[in-house]
Amino acid sequence: MAAGPAVPELERRLAQLLDGRSVAAMSDMTQALAMALRLVGVGPGDEVATLALNCMSSNSAIAMLGATPVWVDVNPATVTVDLDDLKAVIGPRTRAVAIYHVAGRVANLQALRRLCDEAGLPLIEDANNALGATWRGRPAGTFGTSAVFSFYANRQLNGIEGAALACDPDAAARVRTLRRFGIDVARFRTPDGEIDPALDVPEIGVPASLPNVNATLALRAMDDLSERLAHNRANAARLRDALHNVPDLRFVEELDGASGAHWVALVRSPRRNDWMPALKAKGIQCSRLHQRNDRYTGFGATARHLPGTDVLEREMFALPVGWWLSESDLTQIVHVVRTVAKER
């Protein structure tokens, strides 16, 4: 079923979490990001400032529109956008800024929005795994011109697949038409069920509607969202407190004023490539998380020196902190990490 009552209900409940911001549900986060870029006029020949430390499901949206990414560095201590580097890359062809909240962590979003406003550029928050994160008490996804959230199976709202685009009311109304090929669904068919030959489609859209079944699953996940987010944060704090003095291992800092969604716990070590195989061999499923996208020649982007990203490429990996972990699971993670530290 390509539409149904769960879709507008999911949009309504998400809007409540986002300080009343309008929300349009879509089929997946890449389509949602492409739509966010389309709404602000990004097209062939334009540039979009974005993090190289990102997922292809994010940055491929730029290529879908014929635009080119301009890679922006991150602060390796906090894994958030380097605002000075962002300011340095803005040029005459820059049409938008799309910033990923890495692993659900947020930068100084007020400063980020101020920089974009001063440059006259729209800010798109790629908050795909940051639902519930805040900057000084204000939700991530309410600072940008628009924001994208994911309902992929490992996100805060598990809809198996799907996404939401948060934006202003006029833009949301436009998205609801464009996500169904640009058709005004309410007027598309005549009373006898036939396509109305008199109805125009003035702007051609895409096949990106959220199925009702996915919206239903995401809605169910909203019922205990706050409790699961609290568990994630508590689990991350538990690991940080228990492992803060492990030699050669440091937890990525969180900015004062930021409260992340803690999709994972990010740690760093110059011996990352020794740590990970040893942890995996003992049953701890750690991950490097992302492969930096500036390694992919298909984007046709100019290479840049990204020292912060270089550090994280060598040192960063993620430990699990999900809400499903039991007390014994956390105890086991701590035990294994300490055991590996002693064996190395």
Side-chain angles (χ1 to χ4, degrees):
M1 187 174 183
V7 175
E9 177 63 11
L10 176 61
E11 292 172 342
R12 184 189 68 80
R13 290 187 63 181
L14 280 169
Q16 290 178 333
L17 291 179
L18 299 172
D19 294 347
R21 191 154 213 211
S22 295
V23 172
M26 296 189 68
S27 59
D28 61 83
M29 62 165 284
T30 305
Q31 288 283 8
L33 276 164
M35 186 65 72
L37 294 166
R38 177 174 176 170
L39 291 175
V40 297
V42 172
D46 291 330
E47 294 180 340
V48 177
T50 186
L51 300 188
L53 183 67
N54 207 335
C55 181
M56 281 290 286
S57 58
S58 292
N59 283 331
S60 61
I62 299 170
M64 284 169 59
L65 295 174
T68 303
V70 177
W71 307 118
V72 180
D73 206 5
V74 292
N75 180 337
T78 60
V79 196
T80 57
V81 58
D82 183 327
L83 294 179
D84 289 335
D85 193 55
L86 172 58
K87 187 174 182 179
V89 303
I90 292 172
R93 293 172 56 198
T94 310
R95 192 62 181 263
V97 173
I99 296 299
Y100 168 44
H101 302 329
V102 181
R105 293 170 167 270
V106 294
N108 181 334
L109 295 180
Q110 288 171 312
L112 175 59
R113 179 58 192 260
R114 184 165 56 248
L115 188 159
C116 291
D117 286 346
E118 290 171 353
L121 293 171
L123 168 64
I124 298 167
E125 291 183 64
D126 181 358
N128 73 79
N129 53 34
L131 183 63
T134 62
W135 172 255
R136 294 184 176 171
R138 180 175 164 185
T142 64
F143 290 84
T145 307
S146 63
V148 168
F149 298 92
S150 173
F151 308 145
Y152 192 64
N154 60 4
R155 299 309 200 264
Q156 286 82 17
L157 295 184
N158 176 5
I160 305 300
E161 186 55 280
L165 177 56
C167 48
D168 66 53
D170 289 342
R174 184 180 170 199
V175 172
R176 293 187 187 108
T177 299
L178 289 174
R179 70 186 177 189
R180 190 67 174 166
F181 304 104
I183 294 168
D184 182 347
V185 176
R187 300 169 53 209
F188 187 57
R189 294 189 181 274
T190 58
D192 64 354
E194 296 298 325
I195 296 172
D196 186 349
L199 183 66
D200 186 26
V201 180
E203 184 179 11
I204 307 303
V206 293
S209 295
L210 180 68
N212 196 63
V213 64
N214 299 89
T216 300
L217 292 170
L219 270 172
R220 290 293 300 272
M222 290 195 73
D223 293 340
D224 62 350
L225 175 63
S226 60
E227 290 85 355
R228 287 186 288 107
L229 285 169
H231 277 301
N232 284 18
R233 291 181 175 120
N235 290 347
R238 163 76 187 278
L239 291 188
R240 186 177 60 249
D241 292 345
L243 299 172
H244 74 278
N245 61 349
V246 172
D248 206 22
L249 190 73
R250 73 175 80 170
F251 279 72
V252 170
E253 303 166 12
E254 194 162 44
L255 290 172
D256 185 27
S259 178
H262 291 284
W263 191 46
V264 291
L266 295 180
V267 295
R268 288 174 51 193
S269 172
R271 298 181 182 271
R272 188 270 310 277
N273 292 341
D274 296 328
W275 273 103
M276 289 186 61
L279 291 173
K280 288 182 178 182
K282 295 180 183 295
I284 305 303
Q285 292 304 306
C286 52
S287 170
R288 289 183 307 198
L289 196 64
H290 295 308
Q291 166 64 30
R292 54 191 291 176
N293 286 185
D294 60 338
R295 301 297 193 207
Y296 301 133
T297 60
F299 283 111
T302 301
R304 297 188 65 245
H305 179 46
L306 304 174
T309 304
D310 291 342
V311 169
L312 296 177
E313 182 181 36
R314 295 191 303 268
E315 297 186 358
M316 186 180 78
F317 64 104
L319 295 172
V321 293
W323 56 269
W324 55 87
L325 295 175
S326 66
E327 185 66 24
S328 62
D329 291 331
L330 293 169
T331 299
Q332 179 67 5
I333 292 171
V334 171
H335 171 71
V336 169
V337 170
R338 288 194 170 278
T339 299
V340 170
K342 291 177 182 178
E343 293 174 347
R344 288 176 56 250

